Amino acid sequence: MSDHGSFPSSRRALLLAAGSASVAALAAGCGRPAAAPAGGTAPGCVLAVRAGAGPNYAGPGRTRSDVTDGREGVPLRLELTVVRASAGCRPLAGAAVDIWQADAAGVYSEGRESFLRGVQTTDASGRCAFRTIVPGWYAGLAPHIHFKVRPDARTETTSQFFLPEDFLREVYARQPYARRKAPRSPNAHDDRYRAAGGTMTLTPVAEGGGYRAAYTVGIA
């Protein structure tokens, strides 16, 4: 099933600074949870680049941290911190965070299936975590993990995470991904990836037999 969602006309990420934080420091901060100082306010954040939910969104999923449902794939622990950019990048507690993605074969769950879909609620520090797998590829699009942040019943922010190409080449050489011929440059031809300008790209680090990736999501 295809997933050609588009970014809105304002495609570039907006960098928001607090105090004298540099642009370089802010950009580096988007790949890990922001460390809050004594006052409880994060030093800076990057406003998430919005994207469409695509045709595979099936509404809020089950509340759970492990979304694998036994699907084969390289383990990925996704650690998210949600902050309110308009409030000085303060951590946002009590926000519902949905994720959904394709499995190693590029397939989404449908109907009564719910693999690789789930919801968590952020804690007092604005944090939540999911146990998932590295997504497979499909339809010539950059491999991605969709997410939606719902701070309340009336508002939401939808976007997606991407992964570095060198990381994808390494993972896709392993089973079960290697059962299919992986694209040579999985990100290069996706206009959504280019529109995000690297802002929404995770930085996985090895952990045990899999990987861990942390990201601070700034919402308006």
Side-chain angles (χ1 to χ4, degrees):
M1 185 177 292
S2 63
D3 185 21
H4 289 278
S6 61
F7 286 100
S9 57
S10 179
R11 292 186 170 189
R12 57 190 173 85
L14 302 178
L15 299 180
L16 296 104
S20 60
S22 69
V23 170
L26 291 177
C30 75
R32 62 184 185 275
T41 302
C45 61
V46 176
L47 194 62
V49 179
R50 290 175 177 262
N56 297 300
Y57 180 60
R62 293 163 50 195
T63 300
R64 56 185 182 161
S65 59
D66 187 343
V67 301
T68 55
D69 279 353
R71 305 304 284 192
E72 291 184 288
V74 172
L76 175 66
R77 178 178 171 83
L78 182 60
E79 300 176 350
L80 304 178
T81 300
V82 180
V83 299
R84 178 76 77 177
S86 58
C89 298
R90 288 185 179 277
L92 184 60
V97 181
D98 303 65
I99 68 166
W100 65 101
Q101 66 174 83
D103 67 7
V107 175
Y108 282 84
S109 57
E110 295 182 335
R112 295 184 178 181
E113 295 179 316
S114 60
F115 61 83
L116 302 178
R117 299 178 186 272
V119 180
Q120 284 283 283
T121 301
T122 57
D123 64 15
S125 299
R127 296 180 178 180
C128 64
F130 294 91
R131 286 180 56 198
T132 183
I133 62 171
V134 177
W137 69 94
Y138 65 96
L141 300 179
H144 54 278
I145 299 174
H146 293 277
F147 71 91
K148 186 186 293 287
V149 178
R150 294 178 283 117
D152 54 55
R154 300 177 303 280
T155 58
E156 62 182 38
T157 295
T158 305
S159 189
Q160 55 205 303
F161 296 120
F162 300 101
L163 294 152
E165 284 198 341
D166 55 350
F167 168 78
L168 290 171
R169 282 191 288 269
E170 178 181 333
V171 169
Y172 289 167
R174 300 165 60 177
Q175 297 295 345
Y177 307 90
R179 295 170 187 165
R180 299 188 295 154
K181 183 178 180 181
R184 180 174 300 178
S185 301
N187 295 341
H189 305 295
D190 192 326
D191 59 355
R192 304 171 311 165
Y193 177 82
R194 293 195 300 270
T199 303
M200 304 307 298
T201 303
L202 300 173
T203 307
V205 295
E207 183 177 80
Y211 294 87
R212 176 177 61 85
Y215 195 99
T216 297
V217 178
I219 68 171

